Amino acid sequence: MMYEKELAFAKDLAENAGKIMGRYFRAKDIGTVTKADHTPVTIADTQINDLVIKKVKETFQDHGVLGEENSFKPERKLIWVVDPIDGTAPYSLGIPVSTFSLALVDRADGQALVAVTYDPFLEEMYHATQGGGAFKNGEPIKTSKSHDFQHAYISLSSRSLEGEGYNYQPAKVLQEFRSQGTKVLSFVSFVYTANRVATGQLLVTIVGETEAWDIAACAMLIQEAGGVVTDFYGKKRRFDESGDGCIMAANKEVLNTFLSRIKQTA
């Protein structure tokens, strides 16, 4: 299997990240502080991010790290893109809707080669390798083939975004799809919802303005599970840089439906 060493490395890191998350979850010494962007960060976030950097330095001396809390030589050709805890807000509140996310990305094209996400609360390990499919706890997963929104579940970002040719207003999108009988959910963790698109539980998740660590691993999981991921213009996303909002859909027909709805509100 290609990237066998890298995948084993990522899974091992995920297991250790899960132990750190468990150590500080609902703990009195969780050490939550507010960053300059008004988002929370805990001791667990920084410990996990630092652990990834330490292990990459030891194991892959020519690789870099692009992390939410800290980075190491992110200009290198191959970088590990990490969100130590995707969903720090619920984690800091003692709500178990948070996920570790790690992807190996080739900066030549901005695409992922290896992806691992881990939910330590449900003990769910997701992984994918380029061209090798997507898996949950070792079992293959596939996105939904359905495009019937009447009985579907979807997840929307609560952040409004505007661009040339589109105007994403979540309240309008929510109202429209609910009128069709769609069940609309909203979780703080992007990865948590994207994992469920990869398994077919959700038809689509819309993510607001994103950094690379928000989407690198989970986007690859969806693509390897048969789904599609684009920005609000329908263009392919890079996973080594920030960008406009992101649509992660079960299939092309679902994606096209959402792109048309967003363009209609522009």
Side-chain angles (χ1 to χ4, degrees):
M1 181 183 70
M2 291 186 64
Y3 308 112
E4 186 172 359
K5 179 181 178 181
E6 292 83 356
L7 178 59
F9 171 80
K11 284 184 173 182
D12 183 67
L13 265 176
E15 292 278 4
N16 283 290
K19 292 176 183 177
I20 295 173
M21 290 172 71
R23 155 69 179 84
Y24 289 102
F25 186 64
R26 295 177 178 171
K28 291 182 179 180
D29 58 346
I30 190 172
T32 305
V33 297
T34 302
K35 297 189 290 187
D37 63 358
H38 307 295
T39 61
V41 61
T42 70
I43 290 176
D45 290 273
T46 54
Q47 281 193 5
I48 294 169
N49 205 134
D50 290 346
L51 176 66
V52 171
I53 292 175
K54 177 178 181 290
K55 292 299 185 180
V56 168
K57 286 180 177 179
E58 292 174 353
T59 311
F60 301 102
Q61 286 79 18
D62 58 341
H63 292 190
V65 177
L66 176 61
E68 181 171 12
E69 310 307 337
N70 197 10
S71 298
F72 166 72
K73 297 189 181 298
E75 73 281 359
R76 287 182 168 175
K77 182 179 184 296
L78 292 176
I79 58 173
W80 291 91
V81 181
V82 59
D83 192 340
I85 301 179
D86 184 74
T88 299
Y91 178 80
S92 67
L93 295 172
I95 301 170
V97 187
S98 308
T99 311
F100 170 77
S101 175
L102 182 66
L104 178 62
V105 174
D106 187 341
R107 294 189 63 248
D109 60 3
Q111 299 305 298
L113 305 174
V114 175
V116 168
T117 68
Y118 182 53
D119 179 343
F121 305 106
L122 296 177
E123 297 183 344
E124 293 180 346
M125 178 84 74
Y126 297 81
H127 82 266
T129 55
Q130 193 176 74
F135 300 83
K136 171 187 171 184
N137 291 344
E139 296 296 323
I141 54 175
K142 290 291 184 182
T143 55
S144 173
K145 295 180 180 180
S146 174
H147 49 82
D148 176 14
F149 284 92
Q150 186 174 359
H151 302 100
Y153 287 85
I154 67 174
S155 177
L156 302 180
S157 167
S158 60
R159 182 180 300 178
S160 298
L161 282 174
E162 293 184 20
E164 186 176 349
Y166 76 83
N167 180 9
Y168 173 62
Q169 298 295 329
K172 292 182 179 179
V173 177
L174 183 151
Q175 183 176 13
E176 178 176 357
F177 280 95
R178 275 187 173 172
S179 69
Q180 300 178 31
T182 308
K183 307 299 186 295
V184 183
L185 309 174
S186 182
F187 295 94
V188 177
S189 172
F190 301 146
V191 178
Y192 190 88
T193 60
N195 285 344
R196 280 142 187 82
V197 174
T199 59
Q201 293 169 289
L202 298 178
L203 267 192
V204 66
T205 182
I206 293 185
V207 182
E209 186 177 355
T210 51
E211 300 292 344
W213 48 77
D214 293 319
I215 60 171
C218 60
M220 183 190 189
L221 283 166
I222 288 174
Q223 291 170 332
E224 287 294 330
V228 288
V229 178
T230 74
D231 64 16
F232 282 5
Y233 297 101
K235 296 179 180 178
K236 192 174 184 179
R237 279 296 306 263
R238 291 183 65 98
F239 304 129
D240 58 347
E241 62 186 22
S242 60
D244 286 336
C246 185
I247 302 176
M248 302 183 179
N251 53 62
K252 194 70 174 179
E253 189 165 350
V254 171
L255 173 73
N256 289 338
T257 298
F258 264 82
L259 283 172
S260 66
R261 297 294 193 275
I262 292 170
K263 290 176 180 177
Q264 284 173 11
T265 60

